[in-house]
Amino acid sequence: MSEDPNTARREAFPPRREHGADHRCRGVLIPAVPEEKSMWTTRAEHPGSAGTADRAAIRDVLLGAFPTPLEADLVEALRADGTVWLPELSVVAQAPDGTIAGYALLTRGWVDGEPVLTLAPCAVRPEFQRQGAGAAAIRAVLAAAGARAGENLVTVLGHPEYYPRFGFTPASRFGIRVGFEVPDEAVMALVLDPERPVPAGTIRYPEAFGV
């Protein structure tokens, strides 16, 4: 699902059926964050016509962070699907001059039929990598998720040395898995409210993911 947003190198995971053999799971990158900075401001993507510039900037971030346009196209497909798109959970991190440097997205997924959130993709413009922009966007989108009524679980397919800093733990501890072969430690979950039950079962991603 998304990257360690501070690098642009992904590990290989199975191809998605809708995009051919070069399409790989988003969000599994090699972590390289020496120390995060606090120079970033975060906010939700502006909706509708007011968000034209945001949408273009987000696409530029994704095109710069990944070697193909698949992630950029994924976000556009998710944005067009009203059953999974949650506008306040499309979050950007801005540099002091207003440049959109980082991006993190949560969309609707399901575990055993229960609604959950899926983190992917996350990305950072190459010139801003290794400076904490990705981490800022991820923290902000997780905070926004926690503020939404009814949300309790976030899943991510990512590097197990990166995402635990945000509170993610192996999803298998909750009986949660994916329907394709990946290392167990790469599938992680974050419980937003420990007082509520956590669903167990197979993660179902939005159709745009092609899995």
Side-chain angles (χ1 to χ4, degrees), residues 152-154 167-169 174 189-198:
N152 188 41
L153 186 69
V154 180
F168 286 93
T169 58
F174 305 102
L190 170 65
V191 176
L192 300 175
D193 182 357
E195 301 301 317
R196 293 176 53 191
V198 176

Side-chain angles (χ1 to χ4, degrees), residues 52-147:
T52 300
D54 277 2
R55 292 190 291 274
I58 289 166
R59 185 170 179 86
D60 284 347
V61 169
L62 293 161
L63 290 174
F66 294 99
T68 77
L70 292 173
E71 281 75 17
D73 293 344
L74 170 67
V75 170
E76 293 188 1
L78 291 168
R79 192 184 283 117
D81 185 349
T83 65
V84 302
W85 184 258
L86 304 166
E88 68 271 35
L89 301 184
S90 174
V91 170
V92 299
Q94 292 180 289
D97 67 357
T99 300
I100 291 179
Y103 180 66
L105 177 64
L106 288 170
T107 50
R108 178 63 65 215
W110 297 267
V111 171
D112 194 31
E114 293 295 321
V116 302
L117 296 169
T118 296
L119 177 61
C122 304
V124 177
R125 293 177 66 98
E127 64 267 34
F128 292 109
Q129 288 173 6
R130 302 175 66 91
Q131 298 175 54
I138 291 171
R139 287 199 174 95
V141 81
L142 293 176

